[in-house]
Amino acid sequence: RNQPLFEILFLGTSASAPSAKRGLSGQVVSHNEYRFLIDCGEGTQRQILQSGIGFKRLTRILLTHGHLDHILGLGGLLSTLLRWESIDELTIFGGKSTLERVRVLLYDVVLRGNQPPMPLTLKEIKPGVVFEADDFTVTAFSVTHRGPDCLGYVFEEKARRPFLSEKADELGVPFGPERRDLVAGLEITLPDGRRITPDDVLGPWEKGSKLVVVGDAGRTDNLLEVCKDADGLVIESTYLDEEADMAKQFSHLTARMGAELATKAGVKKLILTHISRRYREKDVIAEAQSIFNNTAVARDFDTYQIKKEIENGK
């Protein structure tokens, strides 16, 4: 079976303007052959090249909102793709007002009457499932920030029942299509006439791994439910607690607020991003870790693997 995990690569981790060491918002979430680019700040295409992952299969872009530090990179990316088509199609997902701004950037500024080099779709989405594969879903949820249509995304593996190969061996189930049928929930009949049902060889249901990515946000009380029991939570941390008033004014979060959310929601790992140039990274991490120990502050090109921790003896 495919690896039951999500991998997230940070391409840019700075808030609102780039710094010497941090580019603007962009992350790639991968699950087996699927890849999603979340946000595309200015300079994202260079970060993609520098990271070595390349443009292959980067056919889906999920936007959290329409602020320029999250979308300006789309212009450069499309402009490059006009010169050498390295992807077959491109779908950009986002809320209504976000896509209105993206449409002007791509069609009026970059294309100016020319055709896109590949089928290009701007797909307006609302909270709910926005993408579904055999073994995982991507769901959008509402986030409160400045302006309408702000979204976050949950990547969640579908629950599954593990195949107990020792059980199958004991029962004499041959390797091959019989085992595949059992996993698919079908009953099989062995050559000696015995009927084997999926219940004979499948363990109890196990929830899949869950990664929650919040874009810019000004409050966390309405995120508690969606973040519940997540294996990984990626969230902005534009301010520190000493400037909580400013965070409130601009509808952003402090490191403390992210850590408190992680604690309340029972999250396993917290990854902070969207870091302001005014702070030292170690101060951001210290504030968050004083409340939620398993916190990291993402740097450009960091990769994290988000998977279910199987508890011992269970």
Side-chain angles (χ1 to χ4, degrees):
R1 176 192 152 82
N2 291 338
Q3 276 289 73
L5 59 83
F6 295 102
E7 192 163 83
I8 182 161
L9 161 67
F10 287 86
L11 295 172
T13 55
S14 184
S16 67
S19 70
K21 289 211 165 62
R22 295 178 184 272
L24 289 177
S25 289
Q27 299 140 19
V28 174
V29 174
S30 313
H31 184 79
N32 298 319
E33 74 273 25
Y34 292 98
R35 286 179 161 180
F36 302 84
L37 174 62
I38 302 180
D39 287 340
C40 189
E42 169 199 343
T44 295
Q45 62 168 334
R46 184 161 181 261
Q47 302 289 82
I48 290 171
L49 292 168
Q50 203 167 328
S51 72
I53 63 163
F55 296 104
K56 238 172 85 133
R57 301 199 311 282
L58 262 186
T59 53
R60 296 177 185 89
I61 301 177
L62 305 169
L63 299 176
T64 61
H65 62 300
H67 289 162
L68 293 179
D69 58 316
H70 294 255
I71 67 163
L72 266 182
L74 291 168
L77 181 61
L78 183 63
S79 158
T80 294
L81 295 174
L82 279 168
R83 293 190 186 79
W84 28 277
E85 300 162 58
S86 53
I87 56 178
D88 309 329
E89 55 172 345
L90 185 60
T91 306
I92 302 174
F93 299 79
K96 187 175 192 295
S97 58
T98 302
L99 292 186
E100 280 166 7
R101 198 172 199 179
V102 167
R103 178 171 277 115
V104 172
L105 173 64
L106 298 186
Y107 284 91
D108 297 359
V109 179
V110 177
L111 292 169
R112 288 183 71 89
N114 293 313
Q115 283 305 303
M118 78 302 275
L120 171 63
T121 310
L122 303 188
K123 193 173 164 70
E124 187 189 316
I125 55 172
K126 292 186 157 59
V129 175
V130 296
F131 181 83
E132 182 161 13
D134 285 348
D135 58 348
F136 75 99
T137 55
V138 184
T139 307
F141 58 91
S142 279
V143 174
T144 305
H145 184 49
R146 302 195 309 279
D149 304 326
C150 299
L151 299 167
Y153 297 96
V154 183
F155 296 81
E156 189 161 23
E157 277 228 314
K158 294 178 182 175
R160 66 186 189 109
R161 296 178 68 184
F163 185 76
L164 309 173
S165 45
E166 318 78 58
K167 274 274 184 63
D169 296 345
E170 273 169 40
L171 292 166
V173 179
F175 287 92
E178 293 83 358
R179 294 192 176 208
R180 202 169 55 242
D181 286 349
L182 286 164
V183 168
L186 303 170
E187 190 178 277
I188 63 159
T189 306
L190 294 179
D192 63 9
R194 281 184 300 135
R195 286 163 70 172
I196 309 288
T197 70
D199 287 341
D200 296 331
V201 295
L202 298 181
W205 285 97
E206 287 175 0
K207 284 187 86 158
S209 43
K210 174 178 173 180
L211 165 64
V212 180
V213 180
V214 176
D216 293 5
R219 49 187 275 214
T220 58
D221 55 317
N222 56 350
L223 301 176
L224 194 58
E225 202 44 53
V226 78
C227 294
K228 209 160 176 38
D229 300 328
D231 300 290
L233 167 61
V234 175
I235 197 165
E236 67 125 296
S237 176
T238 311
Y239 292 98
L240 288 183
D241 201 35
E242 67 211 35
E243 287 175 301
D245 290 350
M246 206 184 296
K248 199 181 180 77
Q249 188 187 336
F250 294 109
S251 192
H252 279 297
L253 300 178
T254 64
R256 164 184 277 277
M257 289 168 83
E260 285 171 348
L261 171 64
T263 306
K264 283 185 194 143
V267 166
K268 310 289 182 295
K269 182 168 190 69
L270 174 65
I271 306 168
L272 299 176
T273 184
H274 207 262
I275 308 298
S276 165
R277 296 186 293 183
R278 65 178 72 214
Y279 302 120
R280 293 180 309 183
E281 185 184 311
K282 63 179 203 189
D283 295 335
V284 178
I285 201 119
E287 176 169 303
Q289 281 184 345
S290 69
I291 293 156
F292 185 82
N293 189 44
N294 195 10
T295 303
V297 170
R299 296 177 175 181
D300 290 15
F301 309 116
D302 279 355
T303 300
Y304 293 88
Q305 291 196 338
I306 306 298
K307 54 180 187 279
K308 265 259 162 306
E309 298 302 329
I310 301 301
E311 289 160 39
N312 292 338
K314 285 201 177 164

